[in-house]
Amino acid sequence: MPRLSSGAVTHMKTHSKYQPVKLSASVQLSVIFLTLASSPSYADTAEVSAALDIPVVEVEGVRAHSVPLSGKEISERDIKTRSSTTLDTTRLLEDIPGLTVNEAGAISALPAIHGLADERLKIQVDGMDLSAACPNHMNSILSYINPVKVGSVKAFTGITPVSEGGDSIGGTIQVSSLSPVFAEVGKQLINGSVGTFYRSNGYAHGWNASAGFATDQLSFQYSESHLSSSNYRAAKNFKDASTWAPVLRNGLEKTDLDEVGSSSISGSVNKSLDMAFKRDGHLFQLGISQQSVGFEGFPNQRMDMTNNENTSFNFRYTGLFDWGDLNLKLFRQRVKHAMDMSYERSYAMPAMPMLSESQTEGGSLTASLPFLNDHLFKVGGDFKLYKLDDWWPPVQGMGPGAMCCNNFWNVRNGKRDRVGIFAEVESNWTEDWVTSLGVRTDMINADAGKVQGYSAGLYQTDANTFNAKSQGRRDQNYDWTALARYTPDRTQSYELGLARKSRSPSVYELYPWSSFTMAALMNNLVGDGNAYIGNMSLDPEIAHTANISADWHDENRSVWAAKANAYLTYVDNYIDAVRCTLASCGAANTTKTNGFVTLQYENHAAKLYGLDLSAYRVLANDGQLGQWTAKSMIGYVRGENTRTGDNLYHIMPLNGRFTLEHKLGGWTSQAEVQMVSAKTHVSAVRNETETDGYGLLNLRTSYSNKFMKVDLSLENALNKLYYSPLGGAYLGQGFSMTSGIIPWGINVPGMGRSANVAVTFFY
Ligand SMILES: [Cu+2]
């Protein structure tokens, strides 16, 4: 049991209706966020009561927060049924209602919540508030943690309380490593695991191992994982030979007509050492992690990652005191990133080397103070200091011109520093009513140095324009959130959330400066194949959101539960894009409807709204035949630019997942049907292409006991050719440095049938 600081606990008058387990003081008080009872990984059904006991063995005070009704927490056990055969941590989030996945490289997909993605969300790994360091966001935040290392996921899809947010207008995703394990008092513990996996499509394979030693106060854990994959294949040929023949110049590596070019990954290695020390209600954790990726292809970008080195140090402290809880986090991350082209795009390497380096230092301090029996006051601050250099060395052997003779500086001495403070009160008014109110403010300073092109000719005019302006800026943003939750009895609850949230533009929205097509094409954060130019006059985005959630279930959630969530967001100053009208972008750029175009970021306004539904029902529960459960999840979102009337880019059409699950002994098996309707609401300014509707069947089974776990799955079992609405433009082969050679209008196809197997042994 967690040791509770007596003061905080005796102060609290807890209401049994909300209190299935005893946790640390702040958790116990965070009644409104207590979803242990309201959103278990939505189908643990009969085991829910057992699962409720699980958090008790967690380390004291680590769970500072649970998620509101509109969010979802995925437990370690549910993650484990997926993580072994998954390359990309973002895939573990696919069961979260309201969350969709924007495709990128093999381990770098980007989650979107209610139509808002990437830097509009707050995405944290082990509490570290990181940023990508690449003009294509290849080293996305969740690419830094291997799925096998993930212990828990919390997603705030509706309203994120100010204590968990800041500098983001959408939801929050918090991915955490496995919690430290300690031995019983007076004993020692040695544990570990060895695992391997194979995915038939693309011959993806890898292995992972971990070894740990612990006493009752100290814990050490080392883990390492390796993975690689060749290009994956679509279910059928998606390229016709005549369209592609002129693109594929002599010397390029051949790809088959069903092969997705530049989708491979190799030499991906994650190593981490996690140390923890606990004593008398104090927990100290230090994590050191190192990742290197030798190559990762990006079929919806014009470049590939040719190396990425990431090192991070992460210190966390949680203390339980008589007056409440204290949380401190400090971290530092350094990234060295290199891009160039795969041999499917270019026959000579280096074709166009591009380098970036970043450093991120950040941290937070939060105190949670119970007062007047039924209230919890949270106060704190956080900061993040981000530095970025992004430069492209000249290509040897070329005469002065497009890629000679100096470094091209895309972002030089880029900087984005943020400091925020917040205060929040959670109140447990009666047995039925709980509220949370919070305010925060963030100050963001951004700056960048003077730039230059490869040579004067094609670049000097833009460089002069950029250099003549002041690059430094400061924003002071204000957020507030309000949540009220009504629980009339043990079978239903309702939550209303309102928020104002702000986000300042990122370095890559502000500072890329060249309108020369080749340079602008390299700056693309969304995988649509277009060229982007930054805009130093951007204002912060300000979102006003209303979110309503309802949760119905039987008393113990052992038989059924259903959840509905509706939301509406208006975003002032939404950073959308407009067609470049500069002479250097060409006259046709403003009217083109069937090709790649050059765009510039601009503040507009947007409206997003939608609905998430999820439910489960136990169909049969029999000692001999096991437990059969039906689960379903349906999502719908619309996004519109209210200034131009255009649709927002990359908005998932109506979609659903319907699963029949069977559990017996150590076996869990699932048959899942995924249905996605046609995407017809497309962004005209980006020449986004429509996609057809489709249905996919996935079959999975896994067996586990104390010593081993085996996972078998057949994904896309019917081998259906499909195009994810969020797959982006197919640019994975051929000469990609200009916008007119690779054919426009082809989407990246999804993966054809794949048989996957993973085996893990524990000791
Ligand atoms: Cu990159």
Side-chain angles (χ1 to χ4, degrees):
M1 281 294 294
R3 181 186 170 282
L4 298 165
S5 55
S6 54
V9 176
T10 49
H11 273 298
M12 273 310 288
K13 184 175 75 190
T14 54
H15 299 299
S16 61
K17 173 153 78 177
Y18 308 109
Q19 294 297 326
V21 285
K22 286 189 177 154
L23 295 168
S24 81
S26 67
V27 173
Q28 213 165 28
L29 285 155
S30 293
V31 169
I32 195 164
F33 306 115
L34 197 83
T35 37
L36 289 168
S38 66
S39 87
S41 42
Y42 62 92
D44 275 334
T45 57
E47 288 143 284
V48 162
S49 36
L52 289 177
D53 293 324
I54 289 174
V56 177
V57 302
E58 279 193 344
V59 186
E60 346 186 328
V62 167
R63 292 170 50 95
H65 247 301
S66 200
V67 291
L69 199 55
S70 53
K72 180 165 176 176
E73 186 163 2
I74 312 181
S75 69
E76 194 171 319
R77 189 174 36 174
D78 283 326
I79 288 163
K80 278 189 171 165
T81 63
R82 278 284 188 93
S83 61
S84 323
T85 56
T86 304
L87 276 64
D88 188 341
T89 293
T90 302
R91 301 274 163 223
L92 303 178
L93 314 178
E94 286 184 321
D95 286 340
I96 296 172
L99 192 143
T100 52
V101 174
N102 295 353
E103 304 294 338
I107 62 167
S108 301
L110 299 163
I113 293 176
H114 296 168
L116 299 170
D118 203 3
E119 288 176 329
R120 293 194 167 102
L121 306 180
K122 185 123 191 148
I123 303 175
Q124 296 177 323
V125 172
D126 286 329
M128 292 186 286
D129 183 7
L130 302 173
S131 293
C134 161
N136 303 148
H137 281 187
M138 291 174 169
N139 38 27
S140 59
I141 300 165
L142 295 182
S143 71
Y144 290 129
I145 182 165
N146 187 292
V148 293
K149 226 199 146 220
V150 175
S152 69
V153 174
K154 277 182 215 169
F156 300 77
T157 54
I159 303 290
T160 305
V162 293
S163 56
E164 306 289 328
D167 200 25
S168 56
I169 58 167
T172 295
I173 297 167
Q174 297 171 341
V175 172
S176 302
S177 299
L178 296 162
S179 302
V181 179
F182 293 97
E184 288 170 37
V185 177
K187 292 192 175 164
Q188 293 183 344
L189 183 74
I190 290 175
N191 68 340
S193 66
V194 185
T196 181
F197 79 93
Y198 173 75
R199 187 187 77 194
S200 69
N201 196 324
Y203 312 108
H205 59 278
W207 61 270
N208 57 78
S210 71
F213 168 77
T215 67
D216 60 333
Q217 293 193 332
L218 272 171
S219 171
F220 296 91
Q221 191 83 28
Y222 175 77
S223 39
E224 185 166 334
S225 59
H226 296 243
L227 66 85
S228 28
S229 173
S230 304
N231 288 339
Y232 75 84
R233 284 167 192 270
K236 298 186 175 64
N237 293 348
F238 68 97
K239 303 174 229 175
D240 82 77
S242 59
T243 309
W244 286 88
V247 180
L248 306 179
R249 302 184 304 173
N250 283 343
L252 291 188
E253 201 153 285
K254 264 188 72 118
T255 55
D256 294 328
L257 295 175
D258 65 349
E259 182 178 346
V260 177
S262 303
S263 63
S264 67
I265 182 166
S266 60
S268 170
V269 182
N270 285 50
K271 296 175 182 176
S272 58
L273 178 64
D274 293 288
M275 294 162 278
F277 172 70
K278 68 163 182 173
R279 187 166 182 176
D280 300 336
H282 301 273
L283 173 69
F284 301 85
Q285 285 173 277
L286 180 66
I288 302 169
S289 81
Q290 204 196 5
Q291 180 199 46
S292 63
V293 180
F295 178 88
E296 184 184 5
F298 284 76
N300 63 9
Q301 292 289 357
R302 294 170 183 278
M303 303 296 284
D304 300 298
M305 191 159 98
T306 50
N307 195 39
N308 198 75
E309 303 286 336
N310 155 45
T311 314
S312 69
F313 295 87
N314 188 14
F315 171 77
R316 282 170 285 172
Y317 163 74
T318 304
L320 307 180
F321 298 90
D322 288 346
W323 47 266
D325 295 2
L326 191 66
N327 276 276
L328 172 70
K329 290 176 198 162
L330 290 168
F331 71 89
R332 173 174 166 158
Q333 184 209 36
R334 281 192 163 174
V335 177
K336 286 188 175 191
H337 175 73
M339 306 208 279
D340 208 318
M341 294 185 189
S342 68
Y343 286 106
E344 291 118 84
R345 303 182 198 263
S346 167
Y347 51 79
M349 282 267 233
M352 184 186 172
M354 296 167 64
L355 304 171
S356 40
E357 281 188 20
S358 76
Q359 176 179 294
T360 309
E361 290 165 329
S364 66
L365 181 65
T366 308
S368 306
L369 309 136
F371 68 101
L372 295 178
N373 292 339
D374 296 322
H375 305 267
L376 179 69
F377 180 60
K378 267 186 213 166
V379 61
D382 47 27
F383 72 99
K384 174 174 171 179
L385 313 174
Y386 173 73
K387 288 192 179 73
L388 174 85
D389 278 316
D390 178 345
W391 74 103
W392 312 344
V395 178
Q396 301 301 316
M398 283 199 166
M403 302 215 294
C404 187
C405 298
N406 302 311
N407 281 333
F408 177 101
W409 279 94
N410 194 37
V411 179
R412 187 182 220 163
N413 295 327
K415 177 182 108 157
R416 191 179 186 280
D417 295 341
R418 180 181 67 78
V419 184
I421 50 168
F422 64 86
E424 192 174 286
V425 179
E426 295 170 26
S427 304
N428 196 345
W429 299 104
T430 66
E431 289 229 341
D432 301 340
W433 281 99
V434 279
T435 60
S436 164
L437 297 169
V439 290
R440 74 172 286 145
T441 179
D442 291 272
M443 184 174 70
I444 291 119
N445 287 307
D447 204 353
K450 305 298 177 197
V451 296
Q452 67 177 35
Y454 287 105
S455 58
L458 294 160
Y459 302 104
Q460 202 59 50
T461 310
D462 288 338
N464 289 346
T465 308
F466 180 94
N467 292 337
K469 292 183 188 162
S470 157
Q471 285 75 37
R473 53 178 284 143
R474 170 176 294 185
D475 299 322
Q476 188 77 46
N477 298 334
Y478 298 91
D479 290 4
W480 56 259
T481 53
L483 280 155
R485 182 161 169 185
Y486 175 56
T487 307
D489 59 49
R490 293 180 65 102
T491 64
Q492 53 187 325
S493 35
Y494 304 90
E495 188 180 275
L496 172 67
L498 299 169
R500 174 200 152 107
K501 306 193 71 194
S502 344
R503 175 186 79 98
S504 284
S506 70
V507 166
Y508 278 112
E509 289 165 327
L510 293 169
Y511 297 123
W513 54 274
S514 175
S515 65
F516 180 58
T517 311
M518 188 271 293
L521 283 171
M522 301 297 132
N523 285 291
N524 184 314
L525 308 177
V526 290
D528 62 1
N530 294 313
Y532 284 85
I533 308 165
N535 178 354
M536 283 191 280
S537 323
L538 291 174
D539 289 321
E541 294 181 332
I542 297 167
H544 287 91
T545 302
N547 192 90
I548 304 176
S549 310
D551 187 13
W552 303 276
H553 48 87
D554 66 282
E555 263 193 34
N556 302 317
R557 295 177 177 273
S558 55
V559 181
W560 70 279
K563 226 165 129 173
N565 186 57
Y567 53 91
L568 171 65
T569 301
Y570 283 95
V571 188
D572 292 336
N573 300 328
Y574 182 87
I575 298 173
D576 207 328
V578 292
R579 296 283 176 91
C580 167
T581 53
L582 296 168
S584 48
C585 295
N589 189 61
T590 52
T591 53
K592 204 189 283 183
T593 56
N594 61 348
F596 298 109
V597 291
T598 304
L599 301 162
Q600 183 164 36
Y601 295 112
E602 194 173 278
N603 287 119
H604 282 187
K607 176 171 80 171
L608 298 106
Y609 57 93
L611 189 66
D612 316 322
L613 303 169
S614 60
Y616 66 80
R617 181 172 181 92
V618 176
L619 303 173
N621 201 352
D622 178 293
Q624 282 194 316
L625 297 174
Q627 177 184 284
W628 295 83
T629 308
K631 304 187 205 175
S632 63
M633 192 170 99
I634 294 169
Y636 179 73
V637 56
R638 277 283 286 135
E640 295 161 15
N641 180 318
T642 53
R643 172 151 345 153
T644 63
D646 198 3
N647 299 300
L648 300 185
Y649 179 69
H650 254 11
I651 298 292
M652 188 75 174
L654 180 67
N655 66 95
R657 275 170 197 268
F658 307 93
T659 310
L660 181 64
E661 186 177 81
H662 177 242
K663 288 186 178 180
L664 179 63
W667 290 93
T668 302
S669 307
Q670 288 181 335
E672 176 189 80
V673 174
Q674 187 189 351
M675 301 186 73
V676 178
S677 55
K679 180 179 70 176
T680 53
H681 294 295
V682 288
S683 161
V685 70
R686 290 173 163 85
N687 286 343
E688 183 180 12
T689 44
E690 300 190 354
T691 52
D692 291 334
Y694 57 87
L696 301 177
L697 174 68
N698 302 313
L699 302 170
R700 307 185 182 106
T701 187
S702 101
Y703 172 78
S704 63
N705 63 27
K706 258 176 93 171
F707 307 104
M708 68 173 300
K709 184 162 84 80
V710 181
D711 303 288
L712 295 167
S713 63
L714 194 61
E715 305 281 339
N716 194 358
L718 304 177
N719 203 33
K720 187 107 172 100
L721 177 66
Y722 73 100
Y723 297 88
S724 164
L726 310 181
Y730 181 59
L731 308 163
Q733 60 188 108
F735 190 71
S736 56
M737 273 149 73
T738 179
S739 59
I741 293 185
I742 292 180
W744 171 87
I746 299 172
N747 292 288
V748 178
M751 194 178 291
R753 182 190 292 134
S754 183
N756 311 328
V757 55
V759 186
T760 311
F761 295 97
F762 305 99
Y763 61 91

